Amino acid sequence: MANDPSYTKQKLKVIGSRVKRPDGVDKVTGRAKYGADHNAPGQLVALFLRSPHAHARIVKISTARAEKLPGVKAIITSDDLPDLTNGDAGARDMLENCMARGRALYDGHAVAAVAAVDEQTAKKALKLIKVTYEILPHVTDVDEALKPDAPVIHDYLYTTGVDPKPTKPSNLYNVAEFGHGDVEKGFAQADVVIEKSYKTEQVHQGYIEPHACVASVNSDGTGELWVTTQGHFTYRSVCATLLGMDIAKLKVTSSEIGGGFGGKTHVWIEPVALALSRKANRPVKAVMSREEVFRASGPASSTSIDVKIGAKKNGTITAGFAALRYQGGPFPGAIPGMPWAAIGAMTSFACYNLANVKTLGYDVVVNRPKVAAYRAPSAPMIAFAVESTIDMVAKELGIEPLDLRIKNAAREGTRACYGPVYGPIGIGATLKAVKNHPHMRAKLKKNQGRGMACGFWFNFGGQTCADLNIATDGSVTLTVGTIDVGGSRASLSLIAAEELGIPYEQVKAHIGDTGSLGHNDTTEGSRGTFSSGMAIVFAARQAIDILRERAAIMWDIPVESVVWKAGHAKAEGKKYSKLKRLSLADIAAEAPNTGGPIAGHNESVPDNAGVSFASHICDVEVDPETGGTRVVRYTVIQDAGKAIHPTYVEGQMQGGAAQGIGWALNEEYIYGDDGRLQNPGFLDYRIPVCSDLPFIDTQILEIPNPNHPYGVRGVGETSIVPPLAAIGNAISNAVGVRMDHTPMSPPRILKALEQLDAS
Amino acid sequence: MPLSAGYLVPMINVNFTSSFRPALGGADALEIEATTLRELMRILVAKYPRMQGHIDDGIVLAINGEIYRDNWDVEIPAGAEVFLMPRIQGG
Amino acid sequence: MAAVLVSTTINGDSVEFACPPEESLLDALRDRLGLTGVKEGCGTGDCGACSITLDGRLVCSCLVLGAEADGREIATIEGMAENGTLHPLQENFIEHAALQCGICTPGFLMAAKVLLERNSNPTETEIRYALAGNLCRCTGYDKIVRAVQATAKEMRQLDKKKSRRKKS
């Protein structure tokens, strides 16, 4: 039963307790080392020259003068980066995104990079590089890009997912369809049909720590990379591939990460930093400025969505339709697999039990930075559209929006809009919890309104390795490969402590570099605690088997008579009743004489992290004179599985909600007619500050995941999905305007109020 | 596929996401003899070579609503509701 | 232009360094003195991750020149704990999980410390506005505010005990 992952209903000793995280002291004293906090002897400073044009052919790059500047040690353009991707389109796009090849595809696209002895010299060198551009027509809006007269960005891009294959290239690179039943029939059966279109502007993950790395390539072809990342193994494979290095010869060490949220699952400056180091034969430090982060890392998609929902008078939704147009920047899709609109199309009606549903995802290229994942990628935008429309249907029918959702909520046996039939799921429980929550009965003041919305996201497992080593004093070292984005080292230590039956303080977890473990997938898809937790359970069980064997040797009895209980080996049976139990420390102390170091190890691909549902309640106050909107009360209710460390689960729920609130009310990429990003800084790209938000209440519904020994489910992403619509619905209830464009910033709300007055 | 005497590999009904239909000759559900995802993939590619492209791009299996993204050796119980769809990434 | 020689006090220690005249205090602290507790989140004074105090006043070190530190007193996060004993704010940030990734934490601790030095009993609103110059993307600020509230309460109680002892 060593690898049995099924849920064990046991009395837990340490799991669920709110312990102090092991990296806490380092982080409150400034000792913790992030990407830019590391320095290598003799290191050079790298700076990037970036295109000031949204779309331009690079006619010529002259680096001669820059190369002659004293202190400049290497300059890289695409000429120094041969295409070694061997037909892998995703890798090739990544290479081109790191450094323009013949064409600049967005404002901020890197066209050259310099490594020099200091920042001043590098800055001077950038000024000496002469780039001749031939400006090409550009397009930055997703709907504009689909118009017949739009400039076609790639003449080799023919839409996939349509039959027959198109004869002309276009900016539409994929069409995906999901659903079941017959929506036309469903709409015909409906008493009420609401159709509406929505737009969501582009947002950035907004991690406070910019991308940073120190790259060092040696003359023998081996290399080292210190980097802030959500997946150091993924970065290793990608960098090695792009640079033509053997994967095992590149050692990647992850720093502490200052926020990622999906934006640090891809490489941005790292391959070029390595290339500069290789050319200069010295370590190279590359750090993005905040402006570069906005212009040239991976924001979320901007979108244009049509939704149509039909329902009977009794509240049964008879059909749901959505057409989603998402832009992915200048390159097709996510890394192999699903493009962004397709993912959105899958999640669109996931909360509902529909007999007839059809969703179409249209994925589009534009001259904007390459889109990367942002916490439940693609889901918040379509949830805004669907959940707003659901409220409109409820209003038309004269039914409470919450009750309409309860009536049509997905449950076990529902065919999900993305295909499979659901097993037991938690949407019903979260809606019931909303109904019973005191927030729903709190009094509202003038110009205040209350809204609610649901959200859904997948959670994933993925390749995971873990090592559990027992020192001779009985203390335990955990080496894991999943990056700790929010405190998972504490949770993983709790899991090891629970399995071994020892105090939490006896365990120390740390993230191993790529030389210490086999491949670990990136920390995304809410998989960190779930996957590494599972691997640690199995590693601990393996260690326990070895501990029993060692105890048997120490006692000179058969191992079958040894059990592990409460952190001790016990001899079972009347024959051995005189034998005193041995603690972990007792056995570990004898390890050198009983067979050597005691360890457990696990490589696995845990799956079945379960799907996650959430329902949010939001009260806003709208100032009708300025359009300014404030969130006055917010509650997050999420089906989160077993909370290993409840405080950190609450933290994930609150953090995701805050990001969703910023997305809903204020954040957007503003592009000029020249195709340039106008607000690449935290002043004008306004994320929520402390005074914008109230306390965020959380309710964790611990519905255990039957496929994990402790019932753990993925938890980190879902809470960003409901806020956009929760706020849209609250604004509608506060001042009577239905917002269809995020962010719902003061000018937009004022305009909507004026239109309402006029009509 | 190897069959020993008295050992019958169950037929499972596999449903597919719409984007796979062109590669499957328009079908959105097929009856296939397989006990694991790996076997299922082998049979599909042998019969419908265009499925290889989708497999290379990444494929996800849902068994009775539970999603398996990476474990190709998971056993598919007889009578399970099986759905194949493209691979998704989180953030 | 030649480098400027700067004589300053950092966390109580006398320090001398030379830097180009246009170099920010943030870069001087991080790159010349190895004090990497201050972080560059934006370089334009919008995020507060580089917060320090200059003669007791909370400033963004990215908006101060290294040269301006001459003859003045600087306090950074590295000086907040005394002889290995964490400041109550630091203890409570850990206790209340007021950090997830932790990159903004040094800046918040500096700002919160200055707040509590000026106002030992701040309301929730006063705390939120005092910290409005520090951006956090992970926590939604909820647990940060609670940690500051808990610290304020704790420190008031400690002060009461101290003044009672003095009287007796």
Side-chain angles (χ1 to χ4, degrees), chain A residues 177-178 336-338 346 373 377 415 418-421 460 462 524 605 607-608 707 717, chain B residues 17-18 57 62 64-71 81 83 85-91:
Chain A
E177 185 181 321
F178 299 92
M338 297 204 69
M346 286 181 88
R415 180 166 290 283
Y418 59 91
V421 169
F460 298 118
E524 47 90 6
V605 191
D607 245 324
N608 277 321
N707 302 297
E717 291 169 287
Chain B
T17 196
S18 317
D57 282 348
N64 292 331
E66 295 289 2
I67 293 174
Y68 293 85
R69 194 171 70 159
D70 299 288
N71 186 0
E81 196 268 336
F83 198 92
M85 52 194 189
R87 195 175 199 275
I88 313 140
Q89 191 212 8

mmCIF file of all heavy atoms in Angstrom, chain A residues 177-178 336-338 346 373 377 415 418-421 460 462 524 605 607-608 707 717, chain B residues 17-18 57 62 64-71 81 83 85-91:
data_model
loop_
_atom_site.group_PDB
_atom_site.id
_atom_site.type_symbol
_atom_site.label_atom_id
_atom_site.label_comp_id
_atom_site.label_asym_id
_atom_site.label_seq_id
_atom_site.Cartn_x
_atom_site.Cartn_y
_atom_site.Cartn_z
ATOM 1 N N GLU A 177 -13.726 24.541 -30.802
ATOM 2 C CA GLU A 177 -15.136 24.464 -30.431
ATOM 3 C C GLU A 177 -15.335 23.436 -29.327
ATOM 4 O O GLU A 177 -14.718 22.367 -29.333
ATOM 5 C CB GLU A 177 -15.974 24.048 -31.654
ATOM 6 C CG GLU A 177 -17.469 24.066 -31.367
ATOM 7 C CD GLU A 177 -18.282 23.628 -32.579
ATOM 8 O OE1 GLU A 177 -17.898 24.003 -33.702
ATOM 9 O OE2 GLU A 177 -19.282 22.913 -32.383
ATOM 10 N N PHE A 178 -16.163 23.780 -28.373
ATOM 11 C CA PHE A 178 -16.500 22.841 -27.290
ATOM 12 C C PHE A 178 -17.998 22.866 -27.066
ATOM 13 O O PHE A 178 -18.682 23.845 -27.407
ATOM 14 C CB PHE A 178 -15.786 23.249 -25.984
ATOM 15 C CG PHE A 178 -14.300 23.245 -26.101
ATOM 16 C CD1 PHE A 178 -13.621 24.389 -26.466
ATOM 17 C CD2 PHE A 178 -13.577 22.074 -25.877
ATOM 18 C CE1 PHE A 178 -12.238 24.384 -26.597
ATOM 19 C CE2 PHE A 178 -12.202 22.068 -26.007
ATOM 20 C CZ PHE A 178 -11.535 23.223 -26.375
ATOM 21 N N PRO A 336 3.410 24.118 -26.172
ATOM 22 C CA PRO A 336 2.554 23.211 -26.928
ATOM 23 C C PRO A 336 1.201 23.034 -26.248
ATOM 24 O O PRO A 336 1.090 23.065 -25.053
ATOM 25 C CB PRO A 336 3.319 21.879 -26.905
ATOM 26 C CG PRO A 336 4.438 22.053 -25.984
ATOM 27 C CD PRO A 336 4.692 23.510 -25.859
ATOM 28 N N GLY A 337 0.184 22.925 -27.046
ATOM 29 C CA GLY A 337 -1.117 22.689 -26.430
ATOM 30 C C GLY A 337 -2.033 23.849 -26.673
ATOM 31 O O GLY A 337 -2.038 24.441 -27.726
ATOM 32 N N MET A 338 -2.810 24.156 -25.688
ATOM 33 C CA MET A 338 -3.968 24.983 -25.917
ATOM 34 C C MET A 338 -3.685 26.461 -26.016
ATOM 35 O O MET A 338 -3.042 27.027 -25.163
ATOM 36 C CB MET A 338 -4.944 24.769 -24.784
ATOM 37 C CG MET A 338 -5.423 23.381 -24.738
ATOM 38 S SD MET A 338 -6.965 23.344 -23.933
ATOM 39 C CE MET A 338 -7.944 24.165 -25.127
ATOM 40 N N MET A 346 -13.209 26.518 -22.840
ATOM 41 C CA MET A 346 -13.441 25.319 -22.030
ATOM 42 C C MET A 346 -14.056 25.662 -20.674
ATOM 43 O O MET A 346 -14.907 24.958 -20.156
ATOM 44 C CB MET A 346 -12.131 24.565 -21.800
ATOM 45 C CG MET A 346 -11.654 23.825 -23.013
ATOM 46 S SD MET A 346 -10.146 22.940 -22.648
ATOM 47 C CE MET A 346 -10.803 21.420 -22.042
ATOM 48 N N ALA A 373 0.638 32.944 -19.016
ATOM 49 C CA ALA A 373 -0.457 32.585 -18.119
ATOM 50 C C ALA A 373 -0.563 33.587 -16.970
ATOM 51 O O ALA A 373 0.434 34.118 -16.513
ATOM 52 C CB ALA A 373 -0.206 31.189 -17.551
ATOM 53 N N PRO A 377 -5.412 31.090 -16.179
ATOM 54 C CA PRO A 377 -5.349 31.864 -17.429
ATOM 55 C C PRO A 377 -6.592 31.696 -18.288
ATOM 56 O O PRO A 377 -7.087 30.595 -18.457
ATOM 57 C CB PRO A 377 -4.110 31.296 -18.130
ATOM 58 C CG PRO A 377 -3.802 30.014 -17.467
ATOM 59 C CD PRO A 377 -4.304 30.103 -16.074
ATOM 60 N N ARG A 415 -22.653 16.839 -17.476
ATOM 61 C CA ARG A 415 -21.614 16.873 -18.496
ATOM 62 C C ARG A 415 -21.056 18.301 -18.514
ATOM 63 O O ARG A 415 -21.761 19.263 -18.788
ATOM 64 C CB ARG A 415 -22.163 16.502 -19.879
ATOM 65 C CG ARG A 415 -21.063 16.531 -20.950
ATOM 66 C CD ARG A 415 -21.467 15.849 -22.248
ATOM 67 N NE ARG A 415 -21.571 14.403 -22.129
ATOM 68 C CZ ARG A 415 -20.524 13.569 -22.097
ATOM 69 N NH1 ARG A 415 -19.294 14.018 -22.196
ATOM 70 N NH2 ARG A 415 -20.716 12.267 -21.984
ATOM 71 N N TYR A 418 -16.830 21.521 -21.073
ATOM 72 C CA TYR A 418 -15.584 21.189 -21.761
ATOM 73 C C TYR A 418 -15.466 19.703 -22.071
ATOM 74 O O TYR A 418 -14.452 19.270 -22.602
ATOM 75 C CB TYR A 418 -14.354 21.687 -20.986
ATOM 76 C CG TYR A 418 -14.197 21.157 -19.579
ATOM 77 C CD1 TYR A 418 -13.482 19.999 -19.314
ATOM 78 C CD2 TYR A 418 -14.746 21.851 -18.503
ATOM 79 C CE1 TYR A 418 -13.325 19.531 -18.022
ATOM 80 C CE2 TYR A 418 -14.593 21.388 -17.215
ATOM 81 C CZ TYR A 418 -13.887 20.227 -16.959
ATOM 82 O OH TYR A 418 -13.735 19.782 -15.680
ATOM 83 N N GLY A 419 -16.494 18.930 -21.757
ATOM 84 C CA GLY A 419 -16.533 17.550 -22.234
ATOM 85 C C GLY A 419 -16.824 16.446 -21.242
ATOM 86 O O GLY A 419 -17.813 15.739 -21.379
ATOM 87 N N PRO A 420 -15.947 16.198 -20.250
ATOM 88 C CA PRO A 420 -16.149 15.042 -19.378
ATOM 89 C C PRO A 420 -17.371 15.213 -18.462
ATOM 90 O O PRO A 420 -17.880 16.309 -18.273
ATOM 91 C CB PRO A 420 -14.879 15.013 -18.525
ATOM 92 C CG PRO A 420 -13.934 15.967 -19.125
ATOM 93 C CD PRO A 420 -14.718 16.920 -19.948
ATOM 94 N N VAL A 421 -17.805 14.091 -17.910
ATOM 95 C CA VAL A 421 -18.899 14.128 -16.936
ATOM 96 C C VAL A 421 -18.282 14.305 -15.547
ATOM 97 O O VAL A 421 -17.324 13.632 -15.192
ATOM 98 C CB VAL A 421 -19.706 12.813 -17.001
ATOM 99 C CG1 VAL A 421 -20.683 12.706 -15.838
ATOM 100 C CG2 VAL A 421 -20.452 12.733 -18.326
ATOM 101 N N PHE A 460 -3.792 20.905 -11.461
ATOM 102 C CA PHE A 460 -2.985 19.881 -12.117
ATOM 103 C C PHE A 460 -2.002 19.198 -11.200
ATOM 104 O O PHE A 460 -1.738 19.640 -10.100
ATOM 105 C CB PHE A 460 -2.237 20.510 -13.302
ATOM 106 C CG PHE A 460 -3.176 21.045 -14.328
ATOM 107 C CD1 PHE A 460 -3.204 22.381 -14.638
ATOM 108 C CD2 PHE A 460 -4.078 20.193 -14.963
ATOM 109 C CE1 PHE A 460 -4.098 22.878 -15.577
ATOM 110 C CE2 PHE A 460 -4.977 20.678 -15.893
ATOM 111 C CZ PHE A 460 -4.991 22.023 -16.204
ATOM 112 N N GLY A 462 1.376 16.639 -12.367
ATOM 113 C CA GLY A 462 2.638 16.911 -13.060
ATOM 114 C C GLY A 462 3.824 16.189 -12.466
ATOM 115 O O GLY A 462 3.787 15.687 -11.346
ATOM 116 N N GLU A 524 2.674 25.743 -11.420
ATOM 117 C CA GLU A 524 1.533 26.397 -12.047
ATOM 118 C C GLU A 524 0.369 25.440 -11.869
ATOM 119 O O GLU A 524 0.546 24.358 -11.324
ATOM 120 C CB GLU A 524 1.800 26.673 -13.540
ATOM 121 C CG GLU A 524 2.384 25.510 -14.329
ATOM 122 C CD GLU A 524 1.372 24.575 -14.980
ATOM 123 O OE1 GLU A 524 0.160 24.848 -14.939
ATOM 124 O OE2 GLU A 524 1.812 23.555 -15.538
ATOM 125 N N VAL A 605 4.147 11.080 -10.972
ATOM 126 C CA VAL A 605 3.374 12.056 -11.719
ATOM 127 C C VAL A 605 1.984 12.096 -11.085
ATOM 128 O O VAL A 605 1.045 11.515 -11.617
ATOM 129 C CB VAL A 605 3.268 11.642 -13.211
ATOM 130 C CG1 VAL A 605 2.712 12.791 -14.018
ATOM 131 C CG2 VAL A 605 4.613 11.235 -13.743
ATOM 132 N N ASP A 607 -1.639 12.923 -10.201
ATOM 133 C CA ASP A 607 -2.700 13.487 -11.024
ATOM 134 C C ASP A 607 -3.934 13.609 -10.157
ATOM 135 O O ASP A 607 -3.925 13.208 -8.998
ATOM 136 C CB ASP A 607 -2.951 12.597 -12.243
ATOM 137 C CG ASP A 607 -2.598 13.313 -13.537
ATOM 138 O OD1 ASP A 607 -2.834 14.527 -13.619
ATOM 139 O OD2 ASP A 607 -2.093 12.653 -14.459
ATOM 140 N N ASN A 608 -5.009 14.113 -10.752
ATOM 141 C CA ASN A 608 -6.235 14.208 -9.954
ATOM 142 C C ASN A 608 -6.151 15.204 -8.832
ATOM 143 O O ASN A 608 -6.529 14.909 -7.707
ATOM 144 C CB ASN A 608 -6.602 12.857 -9.362
ATOM 145 C CG ASN A 608 -7.339 12.078 -10.360
ATOM 146 O OD1 ASN A 608 -8.141 12.618 -11.087
ATOM 147 N ND2 ASN A 608 -7.042 10.803 -10.436
ATOM 148 N N ASN A 707 -8.484 11.571 -4.086
ATOM 149 C CA ASN A 707 -7.293 11.024 -4.726
ATOM 150 C C ASN A 707 -6.002 11.524 -4.109
ATOM 151 O O ASN A 707 -4.963 11.535 -4.751
ATOM 152 C CB ASN A 707 -7.309 11.380 -6.208
ATOM 153 C CG ASN A 707 -8.560 10.863 -6.868
ATOM 154 O OD1 ASN A 707 -8.785 9.663 -6.912
ATOM 155 N ND2 ASN A 707 -9.407 11.749 -7.336
ATOM 156 N N GLU A 717 -5.366 29.211 -7.739
ATOM 157 C CA GLU A 717 -5.761 30.040 -8.893
ATOM 158 C C GLU A 717 -7.209 30.492 -8.930
ATOM 159 O O GLU A 717 -7.505 31.602 -9.374
ATOM 160 C CB GLU A 717 -5.478 29.257 -10.184
ATOM 161 C CG GLU A 717 -3.994 29.074 -10.447
ATOM 162 C CD GLU A 717 -3.770 28.088 -11.567
ATOM 163 O OE1 GLU A 717 -3.964 26.880 -11.341
ATOM 164 O OE2 GLU A 717 -3.427 28.537 -12.669
ATOM 165 N N THR B 17 -12.944 15.778 -27.693
ATOM 166 C CA THR B 17 -13.248 17.185 -27.871
ATOM 167 C C THR B 17 -13.400 17.468 -29.371
ATOM 168 O O THR B 17 -12.788 16.789 -30.199
ATOM 169 C CB THR B 17 -12.128 18.029 -27.250
ATOM 170 O OG1 THR B 17 -12.558 19.350 -27.083
ATOM 171 C CG2 THR B 17 -10.897 18.009 -28.108
ATOM 172 N N SER B 18 -14.188 18.469 -29.702
ATOM 173 C CA SER B 18 -14.483 18.733 -31.117
ATOM 174 C C SER B 18 -13.241 18.947 -31.964
ATOM 175 O O SER B 18 -13.218 18.569 -33.140
ATOM 176 C CB SER B 18 -15.340 19.984 -31.259
ATOM 177 O OG SER B 18 -16.339 19.985 -30.303
ATOM 178 N N ASP B 57 1.124 17.930 -29.240
ATOM 179 C CA ASP B 57 0.752 19.210 -28.647
ATOM 180 C C ASP B 57 0.340 19.059 -27.194
ATOM 181 O O ASP B 57 0.255 20.036 -26.473
ATOM 182 C CB ASP B 57 -0.418 19.834 -29.419
ATOM 183 C CG ASP B 57 0.040 20.480 -30.711
ATOM 184 O OD1 ASP B 57 1.264 20.640 -30.883
ATOM 185 O OD2 ASP B 57 -0.822 20.825 -31.548
ATOM 186 N N ALA B 62 -9.691 12.514 -19.217
ATOM 187 C CA ALA B 62 -10.569 12.604 -18.051
ATOM 188 C C ALA B 62 -11.282 11.270 -17.899
ATOM 189 O O ALA B 62 -11.871 10.771 -18.855
ATOM 190 C CB ALA B 62 -11.564 13.729 -18.209
ATOM 191 N N ASN B 64 -14.140 9.497 -15.685
ATOM 192 C CA ASN B 64 -15.202 9.789 -14.715
ATOM 193 C C ASN B 64 -15.040 11.182 -14.126
ATOM 194 O O ASN B 64 -15.212 11.397 -12.927
ATOM 195 C CB ASN B 64 -15.227 8.728 -13.602
ATOM 196 C CG ASN B 64 -15.667 7.376 -14.129
ATOM 197 O OD1 ASN B 64 -16.430 7.295 -15.092
ATOM 198 N ND2 ASN B 64 -15.157 6.316 -13.521
ATOM 199 N N GLY B 65 -14.671 12.127 -14.977
ATOM 200 C CA GLY B 65 -14.577 13.507 -14.547
ATOM 201 C C GLY B 65 -13.241 13.895 -13.922
ATOM 202 O O GLY B 65 -12.966 15.075 -13.727
ATOM 203 N N GLU B 66 -12.423 12.909 -13.572
ATOM 204 C CA GLU B 66 -11.116 13.216 -12.974
ATOM 205 C C GLU B 66 -10.089 13.406 -14.084
ATOM 206 O O GLU B 66 -9.988 12.597 -14.974
ATOM 207 C CB GLU B 66 -10.660 12.074 -12.062
ATOM 208 C CG GLU B 66 -11.558 11.878 -10.853
ATOM 209 C CD GLU B 66 -11.423 13.000 -9.826
ATOM 210 O OE1 GLU B 66 -10.647 13.956 -10.064
ATOM 211 O OE2 GLU B 66 -12.088 12.912 -8.796
ATOM 212 N N ILE B 67 -9.329 14.485 -13.959
ATOM 213 C CA ILE B 67 -8.409 14.815 -15.047
ATOM 214 C C ILE B 67 -7.025 14.231 -14.805
ATOM 215 O O ILE B 67 -6.446 14.407 -13.732
ATOM 216 C CB ILE B 67 -8.319 16.347 -15.189
ATOM 217 C CG1 ILE B 67 -9.680 16.861 -15.676
ATOM 218 C CG2 ILE B 67 -7.226 16.742 -16.160
ATOM 219 C CD1 ILE B 67 -9.782 18.344 -15.735
ATOM 220 N N TYR B 68 -6.511 13.546 -15.801
ATOM 221 C CA TYR B 68 -5.155 13.006 -15.776
ATOM 222 C C TYR B 68 -4.353 13.716 -16.854
ATOM 223 O O TYR B 68 -4.589 13.534 -18.034
ATOM 224 C CB TYR B 68 -5.163 11.486 -16.046
ATOM 225 C CG TYR B 68 -5.825 10.714 -14.940
ATOM 226 C CD1 TYR B 68 -7.203 10.544 -14.918
ATOM 227 C CD2 TYR B 68 -5.072 10.174 -13.898
ATOM 228 C CE1 TYR B 68 -7.815 9.849 -13.888
ATOM 229 C CE2 TYR B 68 -5.680 9.471 -12.880
ATOM 230 C CZ TYR B 68 -7.052 9.318 -12.873
ATOM 231 O OH TYR B 68 -7.652 8.626 -11.851
ATOM 232 N N ARG B 69 -3.406 14.500 -16.417
ATOM 233 C CA ARG B 69 -2.692 15.285 -17.425
ATOM 234 C C ARG B 69 -1.392 14.627 -17.842
ATOM 235 O O ARG B 69 -0.925 14.811 -18.946
ATOM 236 C CB ARG B 69 -2.418 16.682 -16.864
ATOM 237 C CG ARG B 69 -2.001 17.665 -17.944
ATOM 238 C CD ARG B 69 -1.935 19.084 -17.415
ATOM 239 N NE ARG B 69 -0.850 19.321 -16.496
ATOM 240 C CZ ARG B 69 -0.354 20.525 -16.231
ATOM 241 N NH1 ARG B 69 -0.849 21.581 -16.811
ATOM 242 N NH2 ARG B 69 0.616 20.678 -15.353
ATOM 243 N N ASP B 70 -0.771 13.886 -16.948
ATOM 244 C CA ASP B 70 0.569 13.379 -17.243
ATOM 245 C C ASP B 70 0.726 11.872 -17.108
ATOM 246 O O ASP B 70 1.645 11.311 -17.656
ATOM 247 C CB ASP B 70 1.571 14.050 -16.298
ATOM 248 C CG ASP B 70 1.577 15.561 -16.480
ATOM 249 O OD1 ASP B 70 2.088 16.026 -17.509
ATOM 250 O OD2 ASP B 70 1.038 16.253 -15.600
ATOM 251 N N ASN B 71 -0.150 11.242 -16.326
ATOM 252 C CA ASN B 71 0.055 9.830 -16.029
ATOM 253 C C ASN B 71 -0.589 8.956 -17.086
ATOM 254 O O ASN B 71 -1.796 8.720 -17.065
ATOM 255 C CB ASN B 71 -0.534 9.515 -14.645
ATOM 256 C CG ASN B 71 -0.220 8.097 -14.231
ATOM 257 O OD1 ASN B 71 0.428 7.351 -14.982
ATOM 258 N ND2 ASN B 71 -0.668 7.700 -13.071
ATOM 259 N N GLU B 81 -16.419 6.585 -17.871
ATOM 260 C CA GLU B 81 -16.703 7.650 -18.826
ATOM 261 C C GLU B 81 -15.360 8.304 -19.145
ATOM 262 O O GLU B 81 -14.707 8.838 -18.264
ATOM 263 C CB GLU B 81 -17.673 8.646 -18.186
ATOM 264 C CG GLU B 81 -18.348 9.569 -19.172
ATOM 265 C CD GLU B 81 -17.605 10.885 -19.380
ATOM 266 O OE1 GLU B 81 -16.858 11.276 -18.470
ATOM 267 O OE2 GLU B 81 -17.776 11.507 -20.434
ATOM 268 N N PHE B 83 -12.883 10.820 -21.567
ATOM 269 C CA PHE B 83 -12.913 11.982 -22.454
ATOM 270 C C PHE B 83 -11.489 12.433 -22.731
ATOM 271 O O PHE B 83 -10.685 12.553 -21.815
ATOM 272 C CB PHE B 83 -13.708 13.107 -21.779
ATOM 273 C CG PHE B 83 -14.161 14.155 -22.739
ATOM 274 C CD1 PHE B 83 -15.397 14.064 -23.351
ATOM 275 C CD2 PHE B 83 -13.339 15.227 -23.045
ATOM 276 C CE1 PHE B 83 -15.821 15.029 -24.247
ATOM 277 C CE2 PHE B 83 -13.753 16.192 -23.945
ATOM 278 C CZ PHE B 83 -14.998 16.095 -24.541
ATOM 279 N N MET B 85 -9.055 15.425 -24.280
ATOM 280 C CA MET B 85 -9.083 16.823 -24.684
ATOM 281 C C MET B 85 -7.651 17.372 -24.686
ATOM 282 O O MET B 85 -6.743 16.721 -24.195
ATOM 283 C CB MET B 85 -9.972 17.625 -23.736
ATOM 284 C CG MET B 85 -9.649 17.440 -22.287
ATOM 285 S SD MET B 85 -10.983 18.084 -21.271
ATOM 286 C CE MET B 85 -10.221 17.995 -19.676
ATOM 287 N N PRO B 86 -7.469 18.579 -25.229
ATOM 288 C CA PRO B 86 -6.106 19.120 -25.322
ATOM 289 C C PRO B 86 -5.569 19.529 -23.946
ATOM 290 O O PRO B 86 -6.332 19.757 -23.012
ATOM 291 C CB PRO B 86 -6.274 20.365 -26.205
ATOM 292 C CG PRO B 86 -7.625 20.270 -26.792
ATOM 293 C CD PRO B 86 -8.449 19.440 -25.898
ATOM 294 N N ARG B 87 -4.246 19.652 -23.879
ATOM 295 C CA ARG B 87 -3.568 19.959 -22.631
ATOM 296 C C ARG B 87 -3.720 21.432 -22.283
ATOM 297 O O ARG B 87 -3.592 22.294 -23.134
ATOM 298 C CB ARG B 87 -2.078 19.638 -22.780
ATOM 299 C CG ARG B 87 -1.318 19.571 -21.486
ATOM 300 C CD ARG B 87 0.117 19.134 -21.770
ATOM 301 N NE ARG B 87 0.775 18.621 -20.590
ATOM 302 C CZ ARG B 87 1.391 19.358 -19.688
ATOM 303 N NH1 ARG B 87 1.436 20.644 -19.850
ATOM 304 N NH2 ARG B 87 1.949 18.826 -18.628
ATOM 305 N N ILE B 88 -3.966 21.679 -21.001
ATOM 306 C CA ILE B 88 -4.148 23.049 -20.536
ATOM 307 C C ILE B 88 -3.009 23.395 -19.592
ATOM 308 O O ILE B 88 -2.475 22.523 -18.907
ATOM 309 C CB ILE B 88 -5.466 23.179 -19.743
ATOM 310 C CG1 ILE B 88 -6.620 22.519 -20.490
ATOM 311 C CG2 ILE B 88 -5.796 24.629 -19.452
ATOM 312 C CD1 ILE B 88 -7.555 21.768 -19.606
ATOM 313 N N GLN B 89 -2.660 24.673 -19.522
ATOM 314 C CA GLN B 89 -1.640 25.093 -18.561
ATOM 315 C C GLN B 89 -2.252 26.039 -17.553
ATOM 316 O O GLN B 89 -3.200 26.750 -17.863
ATOM 317 C CB GLN B 89 -0.513 25.817 -19.293
ATOM 318 C CG GLN B 89 0.700 26.067 -18.432
ATOM 319 C CD GLN B 89 1.440 27.345 -18.789
ATOM 320 O OE1 GLN B 89 0.986 28.146 -19.580
ATOM 321 N NE2 GLN B 89 2.594 27.536 -18.184
ATOM 322 N N GLY B 90 -1.725 26.017 -16.376
ATOM 323 C CA GLY B 90 -2.181 26.968 -15.366
ATOM 324 C C GLY B 90 -1.179 28.101 -15.216
ATOM 325 O O GLY B 90 -0.267 28.241 -16.017
ATOM 326 N N GLY B 91 -1.340 28.896 -14.193
ATOM 327 C CA GLY B 91 -0.450 30.037 -14.020
ATOM 328 C C GLY B 91 -0.078 30.312 -12.578
ATOM 329 O O GLY B 91 -0.220 29.501 -11.735
#
